[in-house]
Amino acid sequence: MGVNPKAKKVIFLLWILIVPVGMWYTYQTYPPHDADNWVELSAFLLLTVIVATMPIDINNVPIFLIQWITLSTFLSFGLFVEMVFSQIAVIALLLKLRVQKDQYFRFPLNGLMFFIVSLGSGAVFYMLGGQTGVSLVQHPHRLGLAVLYVVLYYVLNQIVLSFYLFLFNGRKVSFFGKDFIVETITTLITFPLGFVLYMLYYQIGLQALLFVGIPFVSVSIIFNRYYSSEKINGFFQKAAEIGHQMAERHEVNGVIDLFIQKLSEMLPVDYAYILETIDDQELKLIRRIEDGEVLSNDLPGLKKNEGIIGNAWVKQKAFLFSSKKEWNDINIGYIHELAESILCVPIARNKKVIAVLLLASKQKRAY
């Protein structure tokens, strides 16, 4: 269940009414220290943006591992700087993910959620006598308050997330569900790293960002590369399984239906068209599926070099488009007006194109 347009407007309005005023209040109540040290602030901000733009992709779900750097920023410069950096991190992440226009509400939504969590946990930390920019190693009480801040941050994040899902998505989720497990694991992994970064920074300065930041970024790159390789191997395995299943079918229509069905399970497909060549002169539509419904094949045929499909036939190469503006000028019929991403592939036998497959999705950058 998606967020309705009215709720999106409310989210934008809440951010405008709460975050700027809250930032001003935070600056006045908990002023930052070392705020004039622009070199070190810039270094922390750069690391924040780098980490934010490198989420770990697991099963097509980006895992945002920014908590450790925001913790170190909070302990080093105070609540206000941590809030500002968190807002910038959210913007950097969503720009990296290239969210679609109808998902722009995620900018103020995530910014508002981070603001509430930061303010709540930070205010309690200061209220209990916590201090930032001080040594933690020689003062167990200070370290204990810093750990309490982490726990509060974690709990508030879960509460705010659950409240959002219930209020705007109508989902009553279990507090100890799958999201809880993922968040718990990332917290246990990343927050200790934040303490290490802060303690090293307090001792040796900016060199700490290199000692901790470079290994973390390297591991993130390696992990994403590994997952991409596993994902590709998974596609190859599924393709082999589809080939075996198709070989068991003896009717042409059965083979085509199975082919489209399996492709739809592997890829986001809203529209699918298969055209076969007729006497090497024309492409004739033999299967047309839109929004999961099989429609009649009464559309006119295509000649060579006509539109995307005709060019794929003649040039014997695949075409990939990420958005409608990339293909709208060369399209000739067939493709639904709501389609964005397109994958058009010629099907060859004995080095001769016998058909052309076109898949389309309403999502941008779906393939």
Side-chain angles (χ1 to χ4, degrees):
M1 180 176 172
V3 179
N4 62 61
K6 185 177 180 180
K8 294 177 182 180
K9 294 179 181 178
V10 171
I11 291 171
F12 274 97
L13 182 61
L14 287 174
W15 188 94
I16 293 172
L17 294 177
I18 296 175
V19 175
V21 175
M23 287 284 194
W24 176 84
Y25 169 80
T26 302
Y27 184 83
Q28 298 296 324
T29 309
Y30 312 110
H33 49 83
D34 289 339
D36 56 345
N37 195 337
W38 291 104
V39 174
E40 298 191 359
L41 281 172
S42 299
F44 268 85
L45 179 58
L46 178 61
L47 180 59
T48 300
V49 172
I50 292 174
V51 173
T53 55
M54 297 182 65
I56 295 178
D57 192 351
I58 301 178
N59 292 330
N60 295 321
V61 177
I63 305 299
F64 191 39
L65 299 179
I66 198 68
Q67 300 95 327
W68 65 279
I69 183 66
T70 57
L71 169 62
S72 182
T73 301
F74 170 74
L75 294 174
S76 300
F77 302 103
L79 180 58
F80 176 77
V81 175
E82 186 271 335
M83 282 183 169
V84 173
F85 282 17
S86 294
Q87 298 293 311
I88 296 174
V90 167
I91 295 173
L93 171 66
L94 295 179
L95 288 176
K96 170 67 175 182
L97 297 179
R98 297 181 177 180
V99 295
Q100 299 183 35
K101 189 174 182 180
D102 63 339
Q103 297 292 309
Y104 281 176
F105 74 94
R106 291 170 61 185
F107 284 95
L109 172 63
N110 285 276
L112 182 61
M113 292 170 65
F114 268 94
F115 171 79
I116 294 172
V117 173
S118 295
L119 180 61
S121 53
V124 173
F125 173 83
Y126 286 124
M127 183 177 65
L128 295 177
Q131 295 177 285
T132 54
V134 295
S135 174
L136 300 179
V137 178
Q138 299 175 354
H139 300 83
H141 175 67
R142 293 174 180 174
L143 179 59
L145 287 175
V147 173
L148 178 62
Y149 165 81
V150 171
V151 174
L152 286 171
Y153 192 100
Y154 165 75
V155 173
L156 280 175
N157 185 62
Q158 293 302 304
I159 293 174
V160 171
L161 180 59
S162 299
F163 179 76
Y164 156 73
L165 292 174
F166 175 75
L167 186 63
F168 290 104
N169 282 26
R171 290 171 51 193
K172 190 174 181 180
V173 296
S174 172
F175 189 83
F176 299 99
K178 182 180 179 181
D179 292 335
F180 171 83
I181 296 174
V182 173
E183 188 67 24
T184 301
I185 293 174
T186 56
T187 298
L188 293 174
I189 293 174
T190 58
F191 274 122
L193 191 62
F195 280 115
V196 171
L197 175 58
Y198 172 68
M199 293 175 183
L200 280 177
Y201 171 71
Y202 187 83
Q203 295 293 329
I204 64 176
L206 283 180
Q207 293 178 1
L209 274 68
L210 298 178
F211 293 148
V212 179
I214 291 179
F216 180 87
V217 171
S218 300
V219 170
S220 297
I221 294 174
I222 294 171
F223 194 97
N224 279 323
R225 295 285 185 182
Y226 172 78
Y227 179 74
S228 297
S229 176
E230 288 292 304
K231 188 176 181 181
I232 292 173
N233 291 336
F235 277 129
F236 283 139
Q237 183 177 357
K238 289 181 180 179
E241 292 174 358
I242 293 173
H244 291 308
Q245 293 177 19
M246 290 174 61
E248 297 174 358
R249 300 290 180 97
H250 302 290
E251 295 182 357
V252 174
N253 289 335
V255 172
I256 294 175
D257 291 338
L258 177 65
F259 181 60
I260 295 297
Q261 175 192 340
K262 294 300 180 180
L263 281 179
S264 299
E265 293 175 359
M266 294 174 59
L267 302 170
V269 179
D270 293 306
Y271 313 105
Y273 310 89
I274 298 181
L275 299 91
E276 68 173 350
T277 58
I278 305 297
D279 299 327
D280 200 35
Q281 298 294 322
E282 184 183 35
L283 283 169
K284 178 183 177 182
L285 183 65
I286 61 172
R287 183 64 87 248
R288 175 188 175 196
I289 300 176
E290 296 183 356
D291 291 321
E293 182 180 355
V294 179
L295 303 179
S296 63
N297 303 324
D298 56 357
L299 297 179
L302 292 176
K303 303 292 184 181
K304 293 181 178 181
N305 293 312
E306 282 188 338
I308 300 171
I309 300 173
N311 276 278
W313 176 22
V314 173
K315 297 179 181 179
Q316 299 188 26
K317 71 174 186 178
F319 287 87
L320 175 64
F321 300 98
S322 298
S323 63
K324 189 173 185 177
K325 64 181 182 180
E326 296 179 3
W327 55 262
N328 201 36
D329 292 339
I330 59 176
N331 176 46
I332 298 179
Y334 283 86
I335 304 175
H336 197 279
E337 61 180 6
L338 296 180
E340 287 285 349
S341 301
I342 285 179
L343 177 61
C344 186
V345 182
I347 301 173
R349 183 173 60 193
N350 297 327
K351 297 183 179 180
K352 182 179 180 181
V353 176
I354 60 171
V356 177
L357 167 70
L358 186 140
L359 304 177
S361 172
K362 297 176 183 177
Q363 304 174 22
K364 292 183 178 179
R365 296 173 290 274
Y367 307 123

